């Protein structure tokens, strides 16, 4: 089980089930294998460290190895949770924003309608600029990468996703600028829930991609403006006027 993927495509035994259901079934079926591997690793560590140092050290290291293996598999399973539930990750990202940026003077507007361009999952207004946050959940086996400055998912370009997000950010910027009476730049970013990312954050097609917490850290460390508290409040009020509250279901379907 160690080093292998439990996400298997086109397996006849699971034909008819959703990918999420197949993944869950495979995970449960692999439980005994994971436990056997964990026991083997712990036993091997116990013997090796016991012979090289002493029995107590062997026991301690065996416990550490077993705990580390448990943690690795738990993180794999946890990272796929949003995708397994058929979600896109908005609620998860909103929680992260609430306990990080919102506590540091940023204002966050959730599920705002950008006229003719669908829903903005979140609009973050802070001292360092304005960001339009989009969420996407991909399967645990999906390779999310960039090549030549372009986004690829499992080797395929994502022109529609990229063009839609870029246009949404530009339209949001134009609407907020009109309402605020001053130019406002909105930077599109994408929170990746699940998938396999070789290196993060990375920029593709002018958009930054990263898991939620790394994306939030990137937003804090890469300002595009220098706004005062009064300016943040004014831009937030303009965004509230320009971008009405929307419904995720209808807007994303339309987009």
């Amino acid at each position: 089980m160690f080093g292998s993927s439990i996400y298997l495509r086109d397996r006849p035994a699971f034909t008819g089930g959703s990918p999420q259901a197949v993944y869950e079934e495979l995970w449960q079926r692999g439980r005994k294998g994971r436990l056997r591997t964990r026991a083997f690793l712990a036993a091997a560590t116990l013997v090796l460290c016991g012979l090289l140092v002493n029995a107590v050290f062997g026991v301690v290291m065996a416990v550490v190895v077993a705990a580390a293996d448990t943690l690795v598999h738990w993180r794999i399973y946890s990272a796929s949770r949003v995708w397994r539930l058929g979600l896109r990750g908005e609620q998860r990202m909103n929680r992260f924003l609430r306990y990080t940026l919102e506590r540091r003077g940023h204002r966050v507007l959730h599920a705002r309608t950008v006229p003719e361009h669908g829903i903005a999952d979140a609009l973050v207004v802070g001292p360092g600029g304005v960001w339009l946050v989009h969420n996407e959940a991909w399967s645990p086996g999906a390779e999310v990468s960039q090549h030549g400055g372009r986004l690829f998912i499992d080797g395929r370009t994502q022109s529609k996703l990229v063009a839609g997000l870029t246009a949404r950010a530009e339209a949001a910027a134009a609407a907020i600028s009109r309402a605020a009476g001053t130019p406002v730049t909105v930077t599109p970013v994408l929170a990746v829930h699940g998938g396999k990312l070789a290196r993060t954050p990375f920029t593709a097609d002018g958009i930054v991609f990263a898991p939620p917490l790394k994306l939030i850290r990137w937003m804090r460390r890469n300002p595009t403006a220098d706004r005062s508290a009064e300016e943040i409040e004014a831009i937030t009020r303009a965004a509230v006027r320009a971008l009405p509250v929307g419904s995720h279901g209808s807007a994303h379907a339309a987009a």
Side-chain angles (χ1 to χ4, degrees), residues 59-166:
V59 171
V60 171
M61 291 307 299
V63 171
V64 170
V65 167
D69 185 65
T70 301
L71 178 62
V72 167
H73 285 95
W74 176 83
R75 290 187 65 178
I76 293 172
Y77 186 75
S78 178
S80 71
R81 183 175 183 274
V82 170
W83 174 80
R84 285 186 290 107
L85 294 176
L87 305 176
R88 291 178 51 257
E90 297 97 328
Q91 293 183 356
R92 182 171 182 243
M93 186 62 176
N94 289 348
R95 285 196 299 271
F96 286 137
L97 290 171
R98 184 181 309 121
Y99 294 116
T100 55
L101 295 184
E102 286 193 82
R103 293 187 174 184
R104 292 180 170 87
H106 293 66
R107 299 292 302 275
V108 182
L109 303 177
H110 303 284
R112 312 301 295 199
T113 299
V114 181
E116 301 182 6
H117 290 277
I119 288 287
D121 291 342
L123 191 77
V124 179
V125 185
V130 182
W131 296 270
L132 187 148
V133 180
H134 184 75
N135 296 278
E136 286 292 342
W138 283 289
S139 69
E143 182 181 345
V144 184
S145 60
Q146 70 87 20
H147 300 285
R150 301 191 66 188
L151 173 66
F152 286 83
I153 307 296
D154 281 340
R156 298 180 179 179
T157 59
Q158 301 293 310
S159 301
K160 183 177 179 181
L161 170 64
V162 168
L165 182 53
T166 301

Side-chain angles (χ1 to χ4, degrees), residues 149-151 162 165-166 187-189 202-209 218:
R150 301 191 66 188
L151 173 66
V162 168
L165 182 53
T166 301
T187 303
V189 295
F202 68 80
T203 301
D205 294 300
I207 300 170
V208 173
F209 295 78
W218 181 90

